[in-house]
């Protein structure tokens, strides 16, 4: 592919929408993130989230090195001749946090082998990772003078994230010198072996490298690291310009072709979302935050889907819910949102993270976490081999089926970071206190203050399946600190009690703060009352929501199995149920009158499948006979400007059942509206 951007040419002329010329590399003025991430291992998931992580440990996440031949066979990240690129680091990027979230000694020992080998076999120059072909042939080490004989920057970026997480869990004293030495190597050679020396993946994903450089700066405060981060940014795709100038998100919608496709690649976009936040962290220039917000809103307006993620099959592909999203795009966007939350403290990204986690992520794997869909559709009535409506259909037509190797195996390796990193980011630290910014059941064991006073907080909840969160404080002595908690954007009338007494929450607050002296036994209870509501999507369609969950039509799921020589066993799904329903206009106008809620006990052993769905919604609908699938794709029917479908509808009214879409593999999420 041709070079799409000459960063040196445009280094000092990056246009921000409405702000005129802004030097991309503004004066270095490192700004501490609004919130700091807590150390890996201080959060212990409970309830449904712990069940999910146990499923992952017992299946693919805990055993990918045994069941995925690409990783298991003579692994390059252990000194062998096998995988020397991204899939091993991808897996470890989820398996390492899983090992410490569950305090699993066996899994910790398994992943530590890879970390030990890479640290212990770092070259004298600072280069690290799999042994290059030149090194094998000559018996010599890669040095700054012959950097071209090393290997691609990109997979090393992922391995740096792995090692950084390991350090926050263990404090291993080898890590800081290891990373310092490697970044000195980068500093020396980037002028001769730039990010694009081997592939454009490093150029498009330089954000991952920059984040680790800034993390090391936060530990050592050595100013040369800020210069290195600037240099990497100068050679990477200009995501800040893309996101801030607006025309990029628009042009990605119009006639996508083979030109500059890497700038539209959904996984690259997912990683690129964090770039303006990192630029703000490095420079303190708030215009970068404006660029981030503009770009994120444009992506979700033009390409966003009801499940909380954007279309990416593999390109950005508009807001039609019959288009697909790559699993890697979902987990990478989640990680960027987690990063943006810490740096900016903006609730926009907290709400977005929860929506993607609870709605987009779960239905794209099998409940046992052993198979995945490369592309899923929000409105999905069949899972099978086929072309569907994807911008990357593949000759083998395997992008939509559930399989370990279906599509590309990158997602088979990369999917493990989704739930694990979400669990690792349930809590953040402010300058002097704690912040609960996204919710799920867990226990936090941490320390506060200069004297590192121990503190435990039990977050007792079934969120997102209930709207009450109880915080139980445990400590040996009284502590004064601010405690912050988020009010979700869907809740207009939050309530809170402290030790049984009502406390006031500031009107329209997005982040509430209780700054007080806390003591052992304190109980803070927060309620987020909600009503059923509808949101608007492509072609005037409507989606039903309740709390943080999005709901879809419950369809009978008939599972089948097939085999493809190159990609192995795979699973298909079909249904004989009617799916082509329209919601009644009166339901849209008054949802809480026409939609009933049925709640059940959350099962003890939780899985994301239909039988474990703890909430059902029931409402009236009518069939639309002429709404038919084309090549198994349920394109939405066109509606009039009044928002109603104008064609023939069935005279009979039927009761339909909806469940949270995380528990579905087939569903309709975006419905037309009928009179």
């Amino acid at each position: 592919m041709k070079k799409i951007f000459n960063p040196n040419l445009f280094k000092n002329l990056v246009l921000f929408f409405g702000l005129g010329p802004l030097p991309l590399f503004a004066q270095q003025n490192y700004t501490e993130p609004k919130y700091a991430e807590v150390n890996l291992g201080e959060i212990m998931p409970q309830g449904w989230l712990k069940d999910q992580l146990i499923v992952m440990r017992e299946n693919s996440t805990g055993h990918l090195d045994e069941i995925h031949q690409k990783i298991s066979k003579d692994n390059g990240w252990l000194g062998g001749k096998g995988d020397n690129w991204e899939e091993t680091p991808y897996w470890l990027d989820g398996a390492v946090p899983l090992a410490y979230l569950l305090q699993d000694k066996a899994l910790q020992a398994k992943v530590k082998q890879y970390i030990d080998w890479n640290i212990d076999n770092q070259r004298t120059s600072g280069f690290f990772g799999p042994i290059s072909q030149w090194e094998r042939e000559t018996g010599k080490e890669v040095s700054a003078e012959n950097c071209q004989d090393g290997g691609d920057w990109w997979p090393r970026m992922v391995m740096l994230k792995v090692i950084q997480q390991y350090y926050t869990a263990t404090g291993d004293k080898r890590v800081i010198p290891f990373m310092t030495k490697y970044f000195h190597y980068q500093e020396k050679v980037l002028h001769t072996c730039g990010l694009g020396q081997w592939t454009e993946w490093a150029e498009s994903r330089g954000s991952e490298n920059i984040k680790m450089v800034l993390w090391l700066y936060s530990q050592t405060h050595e100013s040369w690291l800020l210069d290195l981060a600037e240099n990497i940014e100068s050679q990477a795709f200009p995501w800040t310009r893309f996101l801030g100038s607006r025309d990029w998100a628009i042009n990605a919608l119009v006639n996508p072709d083979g030109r500059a496709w890497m700038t539209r690649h959904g996984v690259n976009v997912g990683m690129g979302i964090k770039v303006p936040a990192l630029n703000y962290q490095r420079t303190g220039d708030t215009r970068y935050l404006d660029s981030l917000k503009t770009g994120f809103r444009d992506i979700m307006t033009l390409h966003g889907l009801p499940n909380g993620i954007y279309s990416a099959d593999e390109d950005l592909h508009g807001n039609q819910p019959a288009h697909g999203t790559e699993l890697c795009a979902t987990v990478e966007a989640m990680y960027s949102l987690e990063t943006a939350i810490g740096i900016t403290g903006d609730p926009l990204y907290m709400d977005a993270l929860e929506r993607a986690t609870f709605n987009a992520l779960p239905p794209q794997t099998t409940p046992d976490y052993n198979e995945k869909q490369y592309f899923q559709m929000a409105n999905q009535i069949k899972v099978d081999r086929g072309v569907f409506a994807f911008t990357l259909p593949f000759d083998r037509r395997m992008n939509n089926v559930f399989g370990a190797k279906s599509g590309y195996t990158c997602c088979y390796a990369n999917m493990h970071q989704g739930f694990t990193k979400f669990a690792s980011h349930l809590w953040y630290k402010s300058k002097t206190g704690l912040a609960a910014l996204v919710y799920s059941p867990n226990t936090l064991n941490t320390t506060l203050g200069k004297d590192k006073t121990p503190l435990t907080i039990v977050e007792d909840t079934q969120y997102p399946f209930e709207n009450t969160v109880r915080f139980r404080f445990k400590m040996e002595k009284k502590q004064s600190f601010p405690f912050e908690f988020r009010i979700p954007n869907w809740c207009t009338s939050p309530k809170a009690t402290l030790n049984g007494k009502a406390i006031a929450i500031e009107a329209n607050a997005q982040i509430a703060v209780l700054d007080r002296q806390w003591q052992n036994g304190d109980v803070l209870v927060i309620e987020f009352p909600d009503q059923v509501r509808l949101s608007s999507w492509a072609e005037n369609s409507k989606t039903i929501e309740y709390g943080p969950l999005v709901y879809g039509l419950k369809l009978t799921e008939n599972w089948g199995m097939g085999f493809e020589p190159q990609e192995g066993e795979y699973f298909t799904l079909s249904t004989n149920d009617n799916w082509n329903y329209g919601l009644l206009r009166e339901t849209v106008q008054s949802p809480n009158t026409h939609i009933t809620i049925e709640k059940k006990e959350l099962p003890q052993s939780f899985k994301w499948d239909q039988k474990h769905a703890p909430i059902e919604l029931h409402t009236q609908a009518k069939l639309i006979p002429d709404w038919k699938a084309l090549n198994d794709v349920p394109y939405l029917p066109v509606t009039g400007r009044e928002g109603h479908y104008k064609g023939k509808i069935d005279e009979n009214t039927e009761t339909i059942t909806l469940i949270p879409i995380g528990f579905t593999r087939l569903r309709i999420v975006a419905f037309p509206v009928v009179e």
Side-chain angles (χ1 to χ4, degrees):
M1 172 182 137
K2 290 183 179 180
K3 294 289 183 183
I4 59 166
F5 176 68
N6 182 339
N8 293 320
L9 177 64
F10 291 100
K11 181 175 181 180
N12 293 309
L13 189 62
V14 174
L15 298 180
F16 278 63
F17 176 72
L19 294 170
L22 171 70
L24 179 58
F25 300 106
Q27 183 176 357
Q28 308 284 21
N29 183 23
Y30 181 83
T31 301
E32 293 289 343
K34 170 73 173 178
Y35 299 109
E37 298 180 1
V38 303
N39 291 331
L40 179 61
E42 292 186 344
I43 297 171
M44 299 175 60
Q46 305 295 340
W48 74 264
L49 184 55
K50 183 177 181 180
D51 287 347
Q52 172 63 32
L53 297 184
I54 290 173
V55 167
M56 294 167 64
R57 180 189 65 189
E58 299 304 312
N59 293 284
S60 62
T61 312
H63 300 278
L64 203 68
D65 61 321
E66 303 163 37
I67 60 179
H68 185 22
Q69 188 178 26
K70 194 170 187 178
I71 292 176
S72 65
K73 187 176 180 181
D74 197 23
N75 193 285
W77 295 92
L78 290 174
K81 298 179 181 179
D83 178 48
N84 63 1
W85 208 50
E86 67 182 8
E87 290 198 17
T88 298
Y90 265 164
W91 165 59
L92 294 169
D93 202 24
V96 166
L98 180 65
Y100 289 94
L101 287 163
L102 293 179
Q103 298 296 315
D104 188 299
K105 299 299 183 184
L107 187 54
Q108 290 173 14
K110 174 182 283 193
V111 299
K112 190 172 181 292
Q113 298 175 77
Y114 297 85
I115 293 165
D116 286 344
W117 188 90
N118 281 274
I119 293 176
D120 294 342
N121 289 275
Q122 186 175 28
R123 319 312 192 257
T124 303
S125 64
F127 179 74
F128 83 96
I131 301 168
S132 72
Q133 182 177 347
W134 178 86
E135 288 178 314
R136 289 192 184 280
E137 292 173 349
T138 65
K140 299 178 181 179
E141 289 186 353
V142 169
S143 67
E145 288 68 35
N146 69 322
C147 56
Q148 68 278 358
D149 294 318
D152 196 344
W153 298 111
W154 157 237
R156 288 162 177 80
M157 298 179 192
V158 186
M159 186 57 80
L160 289 172
K161 294 193 297 179
V162 171
I163 295 172
Q164 182 266 342
Q165 291 179 89
Y166 162 77
Y167 174 80
T168 71
T170 66
D172 190 324
K173 293 181 179 180
R174 299 175 299 165
V175 170
I176 298 298
F178 166 81
M179 294 181 76
T180 300
K181 193 173 180 179
Y182 176 67
F183 289 143
H184 270 306
Y185 171 79
Q186 275 199 307
E187 180 190 35
K188 291 177 183 177
V189 307
L190 274 176
H191 66 288
T192 54
C193 294
L195 285 190
Q197 173 75 24
W198 291 275
T199 69
E200 284 188 308
W201 296 116
E203 291 178 299
S204 64
R205 300 174 177 185
S207 55
E208 313 311 290
N209 202 153
I210 293 169
K211 180 170 181 181
M212 291 300 99
V213 172
L214 293 180
W215 174 81
L216 184 60
Y217 176 82
S218 74
Q219 303 296 306
T220 66
H221 302 289
E222 296 179 357
S223 60
W224 65 271
L225 288 164
L226 297 181
D227 296 332
L228 175 61
E230 178 181 328
N231 191 12
I232 296 169
E233 171 71 10
S234 75
Q235 297 188 27
F237 281 16
W239 290 108
T240 293
R241 179 168 67 87
F242 294 160
L243 292 163
S245 61
R246 309 206 77 174
D247 59 341
W248 164 78
I250 296 170
N251 291 335
L253 186 64
V254 181
N255 297 324
D257 55 26
R259 294 174 296 177
W261 68 272
M262 287 279 280
T263 69
R264 304 188 308 268
H265 187 290
V267 184
N268 295 346
V269 172
M271 296 181 190
I273 287 170
K274 69 170 74 69
V275 170
L278 294 170
N279 283 336
Y280 165 73
Q281 182 182 0
R282 179 173 55 80
T283 68
D285 194 322
T286 58
R287 287 177 288 181
Y288 288 117
L289 301 185
D290 297 334
S291 177
L292 172 58
K293 185 168 289 188
T294 295
F296 183 71
R297 285 177 168 167
D298 282 353
I299 291 171
M300 297 309 295
T301 298
L302 296 170
H303 306 277
L305 303 173
N307 56 7
I309 194 64
Y310 49 84
S311 65
D313 55 15
E314 287 185 338
D315 299 344
L316 295 177
H317 197 191
N319 63 359
Q320 169 63 248
H323 294 164
T325 299
E326 182 181 343
L327 178 53
C328 281
T330 299
V331 297
E332 292 296 352
M334 287 170 55
Y335 179 56
S336 284
L337 290 169
E338 289 153 2
T339 301
I341 288 169
I343 295 173
T344 72
D346 192 329
L348 170 68
Y349 311 118
M350 305 170 196
D351 290 315
L353 174 62
E354 280 195 351
R355 190 177 182 97
T357 303
F358 299 143
N359 299 289
L361 178 60
Q364 204 161 356
T365 68
T366 51
D368 64 7
Y369 222 74
N370 280 330
E371 282 80 27
K372 56 90 183 75
Q373 275 183 300
Y374 193 60
F375 297 148
Q376 73 161 324
M377 294 174 276
N379 276 8
Q380 183 166 267
I381 58 169
K382 193 171 185 180
V383 170
D384 205 347
R385 296 183 67 174
V387 174
F388 295 93
F390 307 140
T391 61
L392 183 67
F394 274 172
D395 294 337
R396 294 194 297 276
R397 302 177 300 124
M398 289 282 287
N399 281 354
N400 182 243
V401 300
F402 283 96
K405 299 180 181 179
S406 60
Y408 284 121
T409 53
C410 58
C411 290
Y412 187 41
N414 196 21
M415 67 185 187
H416 311 284
Q417 70 164 311
F419 279 117
T420 55
K421 287 188 179 175
F422 173 76
S424 301
H425 290 87
L426 293 173
W427 291 90
Y428 291 78
K429 286 187 176 181
S430 62
K431 288 184 178 180
T432 57
L434 289 169
L437 303 179
V438 291
Y439 302 114
S440 283
N442 74 91
T443 298
L444 173 70
N445 294 296
T446 191
T447 60
L448 282 181
K450 293 181 180 179
D451 59 353
K452 298 188 180 300
T453 305
L455 169 69
T456 295
I457 302 178
V458 177
E459 186 173 333
D460 178 13
T461 185
Q462 292 182 346
Y463 193 97
F465 312 114
E466 69 165 327
N467 295 342
T468 299
V469 183
R470 294 159 287 272
F471 297 101
R472 307 184 191 279
F473 293 74
K474 300 179 180 180
M475 61 194 76
E476 294 180 0
K477 62 180 182 179
K478 296 179 180 180
Q479 299 184 56
S480 294
F481 60 88
F483 181 85
E484 302 181 37
F485 60 91
R486 169 180 134 264
I487 310 299
N489 63 350
W490 46 263
C491 179
T492 58
S493 55
K495 301 176 182 178
T497 62
L498 180 60
N499 300 328
K501 295 182 180 180
I503 57 175
I505 297 176
E506 182 181 349
N508 301 317
Q510 294 178 292
I511 303 291
V513 184
L514 291 178
D515 195 348
R516 67 185 298 272
Q517 186 179 72
W518 300 88
Q519 61 184 356
N520 187 53
D522 280 343
V523 179
L524 173 65
V525 180
I526 309 166
E527 295 182 54
F528 302 123
D530 191 33
Q531 294 183 324
V532 178
R533 61 200 187 281
L534 283 87
S535 54
S536 300
W537 299 91
E539 301 288 358
N540 291 315
S541 62
K542 300 293 181 182
T543 291
I544 297 175
E545 305 181 24
Y546 179 62
L549 299 176
V550 175
Y551 285 73
L553 180 65
K554 184 178 182 180
L555 296 168
T556 302
E557 298 175 348
N558 303 315
W559 288 74
M561 181 180 288
F563 182 84
E564 200 279 333
Q566 295 187 54
E567 301 184 34
E569 277 189 353
Y570 63 87
F571 294 95
T572 63
L573 288 95
S574 62
T575 187
N576 296 321
D577 296 348
N578 291 324
W579 54 266
N580 49 332
Y581 289 99
L583 297 178
L584 305 183
R585 183 176 64 170
E586 51 263 38
T587 300
V588 174
Q589 292 173 338
S590 183
N592 287 282
T593 302
H594 295 90
I595 299 176
T596 59
I597 304 169
E598 180 183 352
K599 296 185 178 182
K600 307 172 184 177
E601 282 288 327
L602 194 67
Q604 289 296 313
S605 181
F606 177 89
K607 286 186 179 179
W608 291 97
D609 58 21
Q610 282 194 7
K611 68 180 181 180
H612 286 85
I615 309 172
E616 290 186 349
L617 304 182
H618 307 280
T619 192
Q620 301 293 301
K622 288 188 176 183
L623 283 170
I624 302 175
D626 293 334
W627 184 16
K628 298 177 182 179
L630 176 63
N631 296 326
D632 296 322
V633 179
Y635 293 104
L636 285 167
V638 176
T639 60
R641 64 170 60 95
E642 301 89 348
H644 305 146
Y645 175 69
K646 299 291 187 177
K648 180 182 177 181
I649 58 174
D650 196 271
E651 294 182 357
N652 298 316
T653 300
E654 300 181 39
T655 298
I656 60 172
T657 297
L658 303 98
I659 60 175
I661 58 176
F663 297 94
T664 69
R665 301 303 180 278
L666 302 176
R667 70 246 147 197
I668 294 293
V669 178
F671 293 86
V673 179
V674 299
E675 291 281 2

